[in-house]
Amino acid sequence: MSTAALEVADLRKTYDNGVEALKGISLSVAQGDFFALLGPNGAGKSTLIGSICTLVTPSSGSIRIFGHDLAREREAALGCVGVVPQELNFNQFERPFDIIVNQAGFYGIARAEAKVRAEKYLRQLSLWDKAFTISRTLSGGMKRRLMIARAIVHEPRLLILDEPTAGVDIEIRRSMWQFVSEINRAGTTVVLTTHYLEEAEQLCRNIAIVDKGLIVENTSMRTLLSQLDRETFVLDLAAPCQQIPDSVGVHLRRLDENTLEVDVPKGTALNQLFADLSAGGIQVRSLRNKSNRLEELFLNLVERSQGAAA
Ligand code: ADP
């Protein structure tokens, strides 16, 4: 099995004010993956990302990046990561070209090579015509793209984007996703935090949902979506049922002799189900919708993050 791009084991962080931001986070991101880290405001996402890029010192636990332990092989580990933080944190009085070249310098890239790369990535992010303009005058979207160019100048194998499209208009968002998808296709592992479900859904192959410092779900996007597309009903029967008749075409589970459970695609009319059950000698007395745990989770997350943003 190949080494994971990112491996977090039992990571905990308690801030000085006593806030337990991370309560034992473990996750693994495979090489080449496009991974979403989703959760409401205050869930612990930034603390987790801060720990990966060493801005936050965890209280305990470990982080490995392409097999390098962050605590023991810090330089090797950090050399594999590029981070696009939430806040614009470059010197707005410098020119994009210089920002990129200087960043390359932090990673020990020779100046001549740094200049070649600065041009290459500024071109790729459609910023070359602004390369020698004072950054402060760039539009919001351009500044975001500059942050991406800066994060990839050392050609990291893992790119982490922390809410990079928060407050960015849809056009810019799309062009950013296109670029990030391309570099992912070319082999870079991408981890993205977002609270736009749609964004995670369209881009990411795997997902972890963080809430109150814990991972509450960690699965593939496909599995998650397939669960969200279905709903489950619990059927109370008028008389005990020993066996589910074969004639019933839908997926039924017998919870006990008086109770069945059925999964159906969302929005399905249930008349046919009742007719089939009735034909098989089963009478339903009452039915209730068993709320989908994942959907509930999603709704909660979104409502809470919207509430917090309002
Ligand atoms: P998210 O990125 O998911 O919004 P954060 O990691 O920023 O979540 O925050 C997790 C929890 O830790 C929150 O309760 C937040 O108030 C708290 N927190 C974050 N940074 C600090 C800090 N520097 N000092 C104290 N508490 C913090």
Side-chain angles (χ1 to χ4, degrees):
M1 214 180 83
S2 70
T3 315
L6 174 66
E7 235 169 351
V8 175
D10 199 19
L11 202 70
R12 292 165 194 270
K13 173 65 184 178
T14 305
Y15 284 106
D16 291 344
N17 60 0
V19 172
E20 281 184 88
L22 303 178
K23 296 176 188 157
I25 296 264
S26 297
L27 60 85
S28 177
V29 177
Q31 291 191 26
D33 201 355
F34 202 133
F35 190 96
L37 202 57
L38 196 78
N41 286 330
K45 303 181 299 293
S46 296
T47 303
L48 175 57
I49 286 184
S51 306
I52 298 166
C53 56
T54 69
L55 291 174
V56 172
T57 310
S59 310
S60 65
S62 70
I63 297 171
R64 295 176 84 82
I65 301 169
F66 290 95
H68 301 293
D69 184 283
L70 189 55
R72 276 174 284 152
E73 304 162 81
R74 183 186 155 102
E75 214 165 298
L78 287 181
C80 300
V81 196
V83 180
V84 181
Q86 262 179 55
E87 314 294 332
L88 298 173
N89 64 351
F90 53 82
N91 181 346
Q92 306 241 356
F93 294 95
E94 280 185 65
R95 305 176 308 173
F97 189 78
D98 302 325
I99 290 171
I100 308 291
V101 169
N102 291 341
Q103 176 81 358
F106 291 130
Y107 290 95
I109 296 163
R111 209 162 167 81
E113 171 65 14
K115 287 182 175 177
V116 171
R117 290 197 195 179
E119 177 169 350
K120 174 179 167 188
Y121 291 115
L122 288 171
R123 280 190 190 281
Q124 281 188 11
L125 284 147
S126 312
L127 284 172
W128 183 239
D129 60 338
K130 301 284 179 191
F132 300 100
T133 323
I134 295 298
S135 306
R136 190 164 57 96
T137 63
L138 301 185
S139 70
M142 290 173 181
K143 287 176 181 166
R144 294 269 162 198
R145 299 207 298 274
L146 175 56
M147 301 267 286
I148 298 181
R150 188 185 57 171
I152 58 178
V153 69
H154 61 296
E155 300 179 344
R157 297 165 75 192
L158 170 65
L159 179 64
I160 300 180
L161 302 122
D162 190 5
E163 298 267 5
T165 53
V168 171
D169 79 42
I170 187 77
E171 287 297 310
I172 296 163
R173 227 186 280 174
R174 288 211 181 108
S175 73
M176 282 171 64
W177 294 138
Q178 202 176 344
F179 180 77
V180 176
S181 298
E182 272 163 27
I183 64 167
N184 174 247
R185 271 197 294 277
T188 305
T189 309
V190 179
V191 174
L192 160 75
T193 80
T194 183
H195 57 252
Y196 292 113
L197 276 183
E198 186 201 344
E199 191 161 280
E201 185 179 326
Q202 283 183 15
L203 291 163
C204 300
R205 276 190 289 283
N206 289 296
I207 184 169
I209 302 176
V210 187
D211 193 24
K212 299 194 188 90
L214 288 167
I215 303 260
V216 292
E217 197 67 58
N218 186 359
T219 182
S220 74
M221 193 60 74
R222 186 180 302 208
T223 307
L224 192 67
L225 293 175
S226 70
Q227 290 174 55
L228 292 175
D229 281 350
R230 305 183 76 75
E231 57 190 337
T232 303
F233 290 96
V234 177
L235 313 176
D236 292 316
L237 306 182
C241 151
Q242 299 310 331
Q243 209 183 347
I244 297 168
D246 293 339
S247 57
V248 181
V250 291
H251 188 62
L252 275 171
R253 285 180 300 278
R254 191 171 162 275
L255 299 187
D256 59 47
E257 59 180 15
N258 292 307
T259 322
L260 301 179
E261 205 174 74
V262 60
D263 295 325
V264 291
K266 240 191 174 139
T268 305
L270 297 172
N271 306 24
Q272 189 58 47
L273 169 66
F274 291 138
D276 289 350
L277 284 170
S278 182
I282 297 176
Q283 299 298 326
V284 177
R285 183 167 43 203
S286 65
L287 129 163
R288 68 194 148 88
N289 191 320
K290 183 175 169 182
S291 62
N292 183 322
R293 200 172 70 80
L294 281 169
E295 182 161 297
E296 234 172 41
L297 196 62
F298 257 107
L299 287 174
N300 279 339
L301 288 169
V302 173
E303 272 166 17
R304 280 160 46 191
S305 43
Q306 282 173 350

